[in-house]
Amino acid sequence: MSWIKKLDNVLAKMGNPKAMERNQVDKVTEYKIVNARGEKIAESGTGGIWAEINELAEYSYLDLIVVGNTKIKTKQGCKIVFEAEDKKIELVSDMNEIESNYSNVSKTYITEISFDITDLDIDFILNREAETATLKHKKEVETFNILK
């Protein structure tokens, strides 16, 4: 262990909040990243998307878990666009406030987002008819390739 790391540990024990944050091991977030719910449907160079369909009172919801290097923090919601050559589906998140959780173990972010969805859209997404999935939030855009 280097002397800088030892100094950081001493500062953390003395109550320095920044040093405590650097030394914290977030096991809960890391567990969520390693054991993401649902089926992996898309990936990019920096992460992937896991999807799970849930039903509540005859309404269907698409729950996505986005893992990657992009931090999402917005109070304006987000959109995801599933696109094929001849069809395009745009879904809007059902919650406006979305915030990623960071894991300092794997140095990645995990974001859970829920979307209202119809049965036709479910088939299009889960049958992997789309070629790309584009996640849009604020002014940022991240594109994922659908796994076939």
Side-chain angles (χ1 to χ4, degrees):
M1 186 183 309
S2 71
W3 67 274
I4 295 174
K5 185 70 172 169
K6 287 180 184 177
L7 178 63
D8 208 31
N9 286 335
V10 170
L11 289 172
K13 288 179 183 174
M14 292 175 60
N16 184 305
K18 290 196 180 212
M20 290 170 70
E21 187 177 309
R22 284 190 298 267
N23 289 319
Q24 176 189 8
V25 176
D26 188 0
K27 294 180 181 177
V28 174
T29 304
E30 186 62 24
Y31 178 81
K32 285 182 179 180
I33 290 170
V34 172
N35 300 306
R37 293 185 330 263
E39 177 182 352
K40 186 172 185 179
I41 63 166
E43 66 182 6
S44 69
T46 60
I49 297 177
W50 281 258
E52 181 177 52
I53 303 296
N54 291 312
E55 290 186 13
L56 180 65
E58 297 183 22
Y59 290 100
S60 296
Y61 295 93
L62 174 66
D63 291 331
L64 295 183
I65 297 177
V66 181
V67 176
N69 295 336
T70 304
K71 178 181 180 179
I72 299 173
K73 184 174 182 178
T74 181
K75 292 186 179 182
Q76 302 165 350
C78 68
K79 296 178 183 179
I80 190 160
V81 179
F82 291 94
E83 208 166 343
E85 285 183 22
D86 58 343
K87 189 172 181 181
K88 179 177 177 181
I89 294 175
E90 183 173 303
L91 303 174
V92 178
S93 61
D94 63 351
M95 292 186 63
N96 289 332
E97 190 170 342
I98 300 168
E99 186 170 359
S100 300
N101 293 316
Y102 181 71
S103 170
N104 57 0
V105 176
S106 61
K107 309 275 191 271
T108 57
Y109 291 95
I110 182 169
T111 311
E112 297 182 34
I113 310 168
S114 184
F115 299 90
D116 292 328
I117 192 166
T118 65
D119 290 338
L120 293 174
D121 295 343
I122 290 172
D123 293 339
F124 180 74
I125 294 166
L126 293 184
N127 291 340
R128 313 225 178 159
E129 295 173 27
E131 295 172 2
T132 61
T134 305
L135 184 64
K136 300 176 182 180
H137 56 94
K138 289 188 179 179
K139 295 180 181 177
E140 297 183 38
V141 175
E142 188 172 4
T143 302
F144 297 85
N145 296 317
I146 301 293
L147 299 172
K148 299 290 180 179

